[in-house]
Amino acid sequence: MERSFIMIKPDGVQRGLIGEVVQRFETKGFTLVGMKFMAVPRDLAEQHYDVHRDKPFFGGLVDFITSSPVVAMVWEGDGVVASARKLIGATNPLTAEPGTIRGDFGITIGRNLIHGSDAVETAQREIALWFKDDELAGWEPSLKGWLYE
Ligand code: IDP
Ligand code: MG
């Protein structure tokens, strides 16, 4: 079953939006298989955002992600990677659609609340980076038959 790496960034935690964000993934029907509240070491933040290393915002982004705790999560379900990106909304919260997490709660690109893997392969890399195997708990929700045909 497909999995995605989702992280509530420091602004989402500081603004008291952990429950709201988790609820959106839960009520959509995805299954939580890993979750930890943590301070982010600088080298982990740099590895996570490695593709952006040469961008002008890289230093500020790493400063931001390491500035205050985050909630790192792994969610599972059919098509969860692309669907999570839709639930999250466009990178810039000002242009993100209402109804999305960024569209409902954010204003500026450097405070866009949440990260979601952008492809299945990226998700695999990010999950391996943030979680050890024994920190993930695969399980079969008893309501699966009511979510999947
Ligand atoms: P994504 O999070 O929607 O996948 P990316 O382009 O991968 O967006 O950028 C990663 C993160 O870097 C964004 O979520 C945002 O926090 C930050 N970021 C991207 N572009 C800018 C920018 O122009 N200024 C400041 N931060 C940016
Ligand atoms: Mg990205």
Side-chain angles (χ1 to χ4, degrees):
M1 185 76 89
E2 190 172 302
R3 291 179 172 180
S4 187
F5 174 70
I6 305 294
M7 170 181 47
I8 305 174
K9 297 180 181 181
D11 50 339
V13 173
Q14 291 278 359
R15 292 180 51 201
L17 294 171
I18 296 172
E20 173 74 40
V21 169
V22 170
Q23 185 167 42
R24 290 184 181 217
F25 284 86
E26 273 190 318
T27 53
K28 175 71 176 168
F30 293 129
T31 304
L32 183 66
V33 295
M35 181 183 229
K36 53 185 175 184
F37 183 71
M38 59 184 284
V40 184
R42 195 162 186 95
D43 67 320
L44 175 59
E46 288 178 354
Q47 285 183 70
H48 174 75
Y49 282 121
D50 192 56
V51 291
H52 297 303
R53 205 170 275 273
D54 298 329
K55 307 266 173 59
F57 58 81
F58 181 74
L61 178 58
V62 171
D63 287 346
F64 167 57
I65 292 297
T66 56
S67 66
S68 182
V70 304
V71 180
M73 297 177 283
V74 177
W75 287 89
E76 184 177 86
D78 273 3
V80 65
V81 171
S83 178
R85 295 282 293 189
K86 288 196 167 184
L87 293 174
I88 288 169
T91 304
N92 184 344
L94 268 191
T95 54
E97 291 294 325
T100 66
I101 293 164
R102 287 169 173 167
D104 285 351
F105 300 114
I107 295 169
T108 185
I109 195 163
R111 297 288 183 272
N112 65 4
L113 300 154
I114 181 166
H115 166 85
S117 308
D118 63 8
V120 172
E121 307 76 56
T122 318
Q124 287 163 354
R125 183 185 90 83
E126 292 175 349
I127 291 166
L129 187 61
W130 287 81
F131 285 89
K132 299 182 187 124
D133 282 347
D134 65 5
E135 292 175 325
L136 299 175
W139 57 292
E140 179 117 331
S142 55
L143 50 58
K144 197 168 179 187
W146 301 104
L147 286 165
Y148 292 96
E149 205 174 17

